[in-house]
Amino acid sequence: MDQFNLELGNNIKSFRKSIFMSTTTLAELSSTSQGTISKIENGHSTSDIKTLIRICKALGVTIYDVLPEDISKEFKTDNPNKEQLFNILNDLSPSEIKVILTLLTTDIIPILSNLSPVIKAFEQMSIKERNLFTDLLESMKNNS
């Protein structure tokens, strides 16, 4: 096991754990096996570039983010969370970005306090009533 494989695997594992993703989920999202993910993360294998790109896409990072520091230092930011967030935002549509921007710049505490009675009422519903209410909300979402 060489230093390159070890650092690459540690970087992938670090990004995966930072978003609380299992190796099984990463394998599914990157169309590879859990065994391959495990071998890469433990530094026993590097895999081909196409697999690494799929893994990075599933994690919301670039290939430069997972490369060892000595190879990718000119491409990295000083904050890996910022880079990961930027990569996720880069894949969103303009309307999705607008929603996120609104959420980040709006004081949502009054909105949340208005939701409290709705949540309490929801908790008191039967399972059938909850399902009907959920179906109603889904149909409203799909029609907007």
Side-chain angles (χ1 to χ4, degrees), residues 104-116:
L104 292 174
T105 58
T106 303
D107 181 13
I108 63 170
I109 300 301
I111 296 168
L112 293 177
S113 65
N114 289 335
L115 287 176
S116 183

Side-chain angles (χ1 to χ4, degrees), residues 25 29 36-37 39 62 64 89 104 110 118 124 127 137 142:
T25 301
L29 293 174
T36 299
I37 298 296
K39 285 179 184 175
T62 69
Y64 300 112
L89 289 172
L104 292 174
V118 174
Q124 295 173 356
I127 292 174
L137 292 176
N142 292 335

Side-chain angles (χ1 to χ4, degrees), residues 5-114:
N5 290 357
L6 193 58
E7 285 186 49
L8 178 79
N10 282 334
N11 290 342
I12 290 172
K13 185 186 293 184
S14 176
F15 278 113
R16 178 181 59 78
K17 286 186 171 193
S18 75
I19 56 173
F20 306 103
M21 183 184 289
S22 69
T23 55
T24 305
T25 301
L26 180 55
E28 290 171 5
L29 293 174
S30 61
S31 302
T32 190
S33 71
Q34 191 274 335
T36 299
I37 298 296
S38 182
K39 285 179 184 175
I40 293 170
E41 287 188 352
N42 291 316
H44 298 295
S45 170
T46 52
S47 197
D48 62 87
I49 191 72
K50 288 181 182 180
T51 301
L52 290 175
I53 290 171
R54 288 195 313 267
I55 289 169
C56 290
K57 188 165 183 72
L59 292 172
V61 298
T62 69
I63 193 79
Y64 300 112
D65 295 323
V66 298
L67 290 174
E69 184 71 30
D70 61 328
I71 294 173
S72 64
K73 52 185 150 183
E74 65 188 78
F75 301 106
K76 290 192 177 187
T77 66
D78 59 341
N79 185 334
N81 293 331
K82 187 187 298 184
E83 184 70 25
Q84 193 170 14
L85 182 60
F86 176 76
N87 292 328
I88 292 168
L89 289 172
N90 212 20
D91 289 337
L92 297 178
S93 70
S95 60
E96 290 170 321
I97 292 172
K98 187 175 180 179
V99 168
I100 290 174
L101 186 60
T102 301
L103 287 172
L104 292 174
T105 58
T106 303
D107 181 13
I108 63 170
I109 300 301
I111 296 168
L112 293 177
S113 65
N114 289 335

